[in-house]
Amino acid sequence: MFNELKEYAKKNNVPIIKDDSLDVLLSLIKDNNVKSILELGTAIGYSSLSMASLNIPITTIERNEIMYNEAIKNITKYGFSDLVEVVFMDALEYTPNKSYDLIFIDAAKAQNIKFVERFTPFLNKGGLIVIDNINFHGLKSTDTGISKNLRSMLKKIEAFKEYIMNNPLFDTYFLNVGDGLSISRLK
Ligand code: SAH
Ligand code: MG
């Protein structure tokens, strides 16, 4: 579904979720009877629309105006405006007015600890936090020949994995699909 959006993403280098990760995400939603979703990082609305296709309402946050406009355009075009609410804001400034069954975090990769800390109070008990791109193309902060910026980001992703694995509020596991998924259940 949404092949047109996939094509657009490829052409314009928009990093949308990989097929196998999306399959896992959709299965988690079905198997856990998820009824409400918060997403951080909308981009062009591809993952939002894919999840909303299961007939589940989503609030999704995007801080980039070009992406936000593109997402609104796509969500309107496919007729999902009633199910998908796009908020134009930095996710670290957003305060939800309800709690969710699933939070999908797919925004700035260096901020994942902050996102989890900020949004855990808005996750229902037994709810899931799923985070994309925790493998970051298989790169490691100890690799040679990478830029300082990239090394710093890889360190942050590695620190995040430590943090979430050792967070006593959650049961967490990592899946080696797509670009790596972290899946945490609030105890
Ligand atoms: N979830 C999308 C892809 C998102 S790409 C999909 O799979 O289809 C990551 C997006 O997160 C980018 O559009 C970027 O602008 C946005 N983003 C990064 N940090 C953010 C933040 N702090 N708040 C809101 N959006 C953010
Ligand atoms: Mg992603």
Side-chain angles (χ1 to χ4, degrees):
M1 240 178 139
F2 308 118
N3 280 327
E4 211 182 320
L5 299 190
K6 271 164 102 169
E7 284 300 312
Y8 177 96
K10 211 172 179 181
K11 240 187 236 160
N12 296 280
N13 289 317
V14 180
I16 60 168
I17 188 167
K18 299 258 171 69
D19 289 343
D20 47 357
S21 297
L22 182 60
D23 288 345
V24 169
L25 186 56
L26 297 180
S27 297
L28 282 170
I29 291 170
K30 289 184 223 160
D31 295 348
N32 291 280
N33 201 19
V34 166
K35 297 266 187 263
S36 56
I37 301 172
L38 174 67
E39 175 182 67
L40 314 183
T42 318
I44 61 172
Y46 174 73
S47 53
S48 326
L49 281 165
S50 302
M51 292 188 279
S53 298
L54 300 175
N55 205 22
I56 301 164
I58 302 187
T59 303
T60 181
I61 322 293
E62 176 57 54
R63 70 177 174 190
N64 177 301
E65 192 169 11
I66 296 169
M67 288 293 125
Y68 169 79
N69 287 329
E70 198 61 31
I72 293 286
K73 192 181 92 191
N74 291 329
I75 289 157
T76 307
K77 177 172 144 192
Y78 285 101
F80 279 80
S81 304
D82 290 345
L83 274 181
V84 185
E85 178 197 12
V86 192
V87 180
F88 178 41
M89 198 184 281
D90 191 304
L92 288 172
E93 272 152 36
Y94 181 71
T95 306
N97 52 20
K98 56 171 279 194
S99 288
Y100 295 88
D101 292 336
L102 180 131
I103 301 178
F104 176 53
I105 303 181
D106 193 18
K109 304 305 159 193
Q111 311 263 32
N112 282 334
I113 296 181
K114 281 190 190 158
F115 291 142
V116 169
E117 297 275 311
R118 182 170 182 90
F119 293 102
T120 297
F122 303 99
L123 183 63
N124 292 326
K125 196 168 187 290
L128 297 168
I129 291 188
V130 179
I131 302 185
D132 193 23
N133 309 101
I134 61 149
N135 287 351
F136 211 79
H137 319 301
L139 294 168
K140 300 267 169 300
S141 66
T142 48
D143 287 351
T144 49
I146 58 176
S147 72
K148 230 175 161 183
N149 277 347
L150 180 56
R151 190 180 310 282
S152 150
M153 189 171 51
L154 292 169
K155 275 193 180 150
K156 283 184 179 143
I157 293 175
E158 286 158 18
F160 171 74
K161 289 191 195 175
E162 278 293 312
Y163 160 85
I164 197 73
M165 267 298 177
N166 294 310
N167 188 327
L169 294 177
F170 294 97
D171 286 320
T172 295
Y173 59 100
F174 301 142
L175 272 189
N176 247 329
V177 291
D179 199 20
L181 285 182
S182 159
I183 299 163
S184 304
R185 184 185 301 280
L186 186 63
K187 290 180 198 166

